[in-house]
Amino acid sequence: MAQTCIIVTGGAGFIGANFVQQWISTEPAAVINLDKLTYAGNPASLRAVEANPNYAFTHADIGDFAAVSRLLAQRKPVAVVNFAAESHVDRSIHGPGEFVQTNLVGTFQLLEAVRGYWSALPADVGRRFRFLHVSTDEVYGSLQPGDAPFTEQTPYAPNSPYSASKAGSDHLVRAYHHTYGLPTITTNCSNNYGPYQFPEKLIPLIILNALAGKPLPIYGDGLNVRDWLYVGDHCTAVRLALSKGRPGETYNIGGNNERANIDVVRTICRILDELRPADSRKPYESLITFVADRPGHDRRYAIDATKSSDELGWKPAETFESGIRKTVRWYLDNSDWVQGVVSGEYRKWMAKNYDTREAT
């Protein structure tokens, strides 16, 4: 009898790699990681599990219907967890086409392959199968100070090509449940941070720039607010949603840690002052530089995760203070991983996105 397994798409990305590692350390089922290996997909993030007999890698695109269908037929998974996505708002502003292709068209092709596989399963096996789609709180749009946090009933109002493409994929997942009966679950998370995050995102960008003595670029006035979720807590929530979530339902996952961007940066600077003081002995905060804001920058996100708490029994284990300290220390302790990531692709992106922004 074949070993029970799940397929994880985008498992070489930031959240996916953390999920794969956590799954292998806690669950008996094997993991098949299907990843296209774009710039943000990094096999080095999976070195801890690559020799594990419960792990296997398949190099493929979720938009490749034939390749996904073959893998499903060969491995016969009990679940598919879809992390695969283009996820950086700034990149979506510069090049929206890739986001539509991966997040919307790719999810459609993946759903079609999964529907074909699932519809041929015996009835009892089909009822236990799950397709879990990982999405973002950005599909809900922007909040003003004092607004209630997003719930699962908040209307969608995406404001960037990234969030619009993710909103479209969420709608497709919902439609495949209601039209075809595919047992889907969607999770919408707030801003993740932690180990293995590609340094185009705020927290690793600030850590690495600070250590290099480079300016710490802050968009606009720095008062845009995000709800910060430690990646390990997110992975736990996804595992619980997979085992306890009801088909057709959506679950919001948030860290209960609203912070303005400028406060996040100052916190990182204080931790670095303690753990790795600059040679100049100047505080890292002296490197903070305010730059022109991104177009359509959402002011505030906040998640109400009551449903996830009530139905899944989930709550975050990390506070922002404990999670950000773990994250800074991880980047300090894993310079080999960092150097492998900070390549020509990353340098070209930094030049494209930041060198043309005027200081404010």
Side-chain angles (χ1 to χ4, degrees), residues 150-162:
F150 302 131
T151 71
E152 289 81 0
Q153 284 72 47
T154 300
Y156 276 29
N159 291 321
S160 70
Y162 161 59

PDB file of all heavy atoms in Angstrom, residues 150-162:
ATOM      1  N   PHE A 150     -10.606  42.915  10.079  1.00  0.00           N
ATOM      2  CA  PHE A 150     -11.246  42.081   9.060  1.00  0.00           C
ATOM      3  C   PHE A 150     -11.794  40.800   9.682  1.00  0.00           C
ATOM      4  O   PHE A 150     -11.115  40.142  10.478  1.00  0.00           O
ATOM      5  CB  PHE A 150     -10.228  41.669   7.983  1.00  0.00           C
ATOM      6  CG  PHE A 150      -9.555  42.796   7.262  1.00  0.00           C
ATOM      7  CD1 PHE A 150      -8.170  42.811   7.109  1.00  0.00           C
ATOM      8  CD2 PHE A 150     -10.297  43.831   6.693  1.00  0.00           C
ATOM      9  CE1 PHE A 150      -7.534  43.836   6.414  1.00  0.00           C
ATOM     10  CE2 PHE A 150      -9.667  44.849   5.999  1.00  0.00           C
ATOM     11  CZ  PHE A 150      -8.282  44.858   5.861  1.00  0.00           C
ATOM     12  N   THR A 151     -13.007  40.429   9.286  1.00  0.00           N
ATOM     13  CA  THR A 151     -13.546  39.111   9.598  1.00  0.00           C
ATOM     14  C   THR A 151     -13.731  38.353   8.288  1.00  0.00           C
ATOM     15  O   THR A 151     -13.530  38.902   7.202  1.00  0.00           O
ATOM     16  CB  THR A 151     -14.893  39.203  10.322  1.00  0.00           C
ATOM     17  OG1 THR A 151     -15.894  39.654   9.397  1.00  0.00           O
ATOM     18  CG2 THR A 151     -14.830  40.158  11.513  1.00  0.00           C
ATOM     19  N   GLU A 152     -14.167  37.116   8.397  1.00  0.00           N
ATOM     20  CA  GLU A 152     -14.405  36.310   7.206  1.00  0.00           C
ATOM     21  C   GLU A 152     -15.572  36.847   6.378  1.00  0.00           C
ATOM     22  O   GLU A 152     -15.726  36.469   5.211  1.00  0.00           O
ATOM     23  CB  GLU A 152     -14.664  34.853   7.593  1.00  0.00           C
ATOM     24  CG  GLU A 152     -13.458  34.106   8.109  1.00  0.00           C
ATOM     25  CD  GLU A 152     -13.112  34.358   9.569  1.00  0.00           C
ATOM     26  OE1 GLU A 152     -13.838  35.151  10.230  1.00  0.00           O
ATOM     27  OE2 GLU A 152     -12.127  33.788  10.068  1.00  0.00           O
ATOM     28  N   GLN A 153     -16.376  37.736   6.966  1.00  0.00           N
ATOM     29  CA  GLN A 153     -17.505  38.321   6.237  1.00  0.00           C
ATOM     30  C   GLN A 153     -17.176  39.683   5.619  1.00  0.00           C
ATOM     31  O   GLN A 153     -18.017  40.289   4.952  1.00  0.00           O
ATOM     32  CB  GLN A 153     -18.720  38.480   7.165  1.00  0.00           C
ATOM     33  CG  GLN A 153     -19.456  37.180   7.453  1.00  0.00           C
ATOM     34  CD  GLN A 153     -18.652  36.267   8.376  1.00  0.00           C
ATOM     35  OE1 GLN A 153     -18.134  36.712   9.397  1.00  0.00           O
ATOM     36  NE2 GLN A 153     -18.552  34.998   8.013  1.00  0.00           N
ATOM     37  N   THR A 154     -15.959  40.187   5.838  1.00  0.00           N
ATOM     38  CA  THR A 154     -15.584  41.480   5.274  1.00  0.00           C
ATOM     39  C   THR A 154     -15.597  41.397   3.745  1.00  0.00           C
ATOM     40  O   THR A 154     -15.007  40.480   3.162  1.00  0.00           O
ATOM     41  CB  THR A 154     -14.173  41.876   5.741  1.00  0.00           C
ATOM     42  OG1 THR A 154     -14.154  41.958   7.170  1.00  0.00           O
ATOM     43  CG2 THR A 154     -13.764  43.217   5.148  1.00  0.00           C
ATOM     44  N   PRO A 155     -16.265  42.333   3.067  1.00  0.00           N
ATOM     45  CA  PRO A 155     -16.272  42.300   1.586  1.00  0.00           C
ATOM     46  C   PRO A 155     -14.866  42.464   1.026  1.00  0.00           C
ATOM     47  O   PRO A 155     -14.032  43.176   1.590  1.00  0.00           O
ATOM     48  CB  PRO A 155     -17.163  43.497   1.213  1.00  0.00           C
ATOM     49  CG  PRO A 155     -17.974  43.782   2.430  1.00  0.00           C
ATOM     50  CD  PRO A 155     -17.109  43.417   3.601  1.00  0.00           C
ATOM     51  N   TYR A 156     -14.615  41.810  -0.091  1.00  0.00           N
ATOM     52  CA  TYR A 156     -13.324  41.943  -0.750  1.00  0.00           C
ATOM     53  C   TYR A 156     -13.221  43.324  -1.408  1.00  0.00           C
ATOM     54  O   TYR A 156     -14.160  43.796  -2.042  1.00  0.00           O
ATOM     55  CB  TYR A 156     -13.154  40.868  -1.823  1.00  0.00           C
ATOM     56  CG  TYR A 156     -12.650  39.546  -1.302  1.00  0.00           C
ATOM     57  CD1 TYR A 156     -12.922  39.129  -0.003  1.00  0.00           C
ATOM     58  CD2 TYR A 156     -11.897  38.700  -2.108  1.00  0.00           C
ATOM     59  CE1 TYR A 156     -12.460  37.921   0.469  1.00  0.00           C
ATOM     60  CE2 TYR A 156     -11.428  37.483  -1.646  1.00  0.00           C
ATOM     61  CZ  TYR A 156     -11.710  37.093  -0.347  1.00  0.00           C
ATOM     62  OH  TYR A 156     -11.235  35.889   0.115  1.00  0.00           O
ATOM     63  N   ALA A 157     -12.048  43.956  -1.258  1.00  0.00           N
ATOM     64  CA  ALA A 157     -11.797  45.264  -1.875  1.00  0.00           C
ATOM     65  C   ALA A 157     -10.304  45.403  -2.153  1.00  0.00           C
ATOM     66  O   ALA A 157      -9.639  46.291  -1.610  1.00  0.00           O
ATOM     67  CB  ALA A 157     -12.290  46.392  -0.962  1.00  0.00           C
ATOM     68  N   PRO A 158      -9.733  44.532  -2.991  1.00  0.00           N
ATOM     69  CA  PRO A 158      -8.276  44.553  -3.209  1.00  0.00           C
ATOM     70  C   PRO A 158      -7.823  45.833  -3.895  1.00  0.00           C
ATOM     71  O   PRO A 158      -8.497  46.355  -4.771  1.00  0.00           O
ATOM     72  CB  PRO A 158      -8.043  43.334  -4.101  1.00  0.00           C
ATOM     73  CG  PRO A 158      -9.355  43.117  -4.811  1.00  0.00           C
ATOM     74  CD  PRO A 158     -10.408  43.515  -3.822  1.00  0.00           C
ATOM     75  N   ASN A 159      -6.639  46.317  -3.500  1.00  0.00           N
ATOM     76  CA  ASN A 159      -6.147  47.607  -3.987  1.00  0.00           C
ATOM     77  C   ASN A 159      -4.853  47.535  -4.778  1.00  0.00           C
ATOM     78  O   ASN A 159      -4.367  48.574  -5.236  1.00  0.00           O
ATOM     79  CB  ASN A 159      -5.952  48.558  -2.792  1.00  0.00           C
ATOM     80  CG  ASN A 159      -7.264  48.978  -2.177  1.00  0.00           C
ATOM     81  OD1 ASN A 159      -8.241  49.213  -2.884  1.00  0.00           O
ATOM     82  ND2 ASN A 159      -7.312  49.050  -0.848  1.00  0.00           N
ATOM     83  N   SER A 160      -4.263  46.367  -4.943  1.00  0.00           N
ATOM     84  CA  SER A 160      -3.032  46.234  -5.718  1.00  0.00           C
ATOM     85  C   SER A 160      -3.205  45.083  -6.700  1.00  0.00           C
ATOM     86  O   SER A 160      -4.067  44.220  -6.516  1.00  0.00           O
ATOM     87  CB  SER A 160      -1.840  45.954  -4.800  1.00  0.00           C
ATOM     88  OG  SER A 160      -1.930  44.639  -4.252  1.00  0.00           O
ATOM     89  N   PRO A 161      -2.379  45.041  -7.755  1.00  0.00           N
ATOM     90  CA  PRO A 161      -2.439  43.878  -8.644  1.00  0.00           C
ATOM     91  C   PRO A 161      -2.222  42.569  -7.898  1.00  0.00           C
ATOM     92  O   PRO A 161      -2.837  41.554  -8.221  1.00  0.00           O
ATOM     93  CB  PRO A 161      -1.331  44.150  -9.658  1.00  0.00           C
ATOM     94  CG  PRO A 161      -1.214  45.643  -9.696  1.00  0.00           C
ATOM     95  CD  PRO A 161      -1.460  46.092  -8.283  1.00  0.00           C
ATOM     96  N   TYR A 162      -1.337  42.577  -6.894  1.00  0.00           N
ATOM     97  CA  TYR A 162      -1.135  41.368  -6.094  1.00  0.00           C
ATOM     98  C   TYR A 162      -2.419  40.938  -5.409  1.00  0.00           C
ATOM     99  O   TYR A 162      -2.875  39.798  -5.566  1.00  0.00           O
ATOM    100  CB  TYR A 162      -0.028  41.595  -5.057  1.00  0.00           C
ATOM    101  CG  TYR A 162      -0.073  40.595  -3.927  1.00  0.00           C
ATOM    102  CD1 TYR A 162       0.036  39.234  -4.174  1.00  0.00           C
ATOM    103  CD2 TYR A 162      -0.246  41.018  -2.611  1.00  0.00           C
ATOM    104  CE1 TYR A 162      -0.025  38.307  -3.139  1.00  0.00           C
ATOM    105  CE2 TYR A 162      -0.313  40.102  -1.568  1.00  0.00           C
ATOM    106  CZ  TYR A 162      -0.193  38.742  -1.837  1.00  0.00           C
ATOM    107  OH  TYR A 162      -0.262  37.836  -0.813  1.00  0.00           O
TER     108      TYR A 162
END
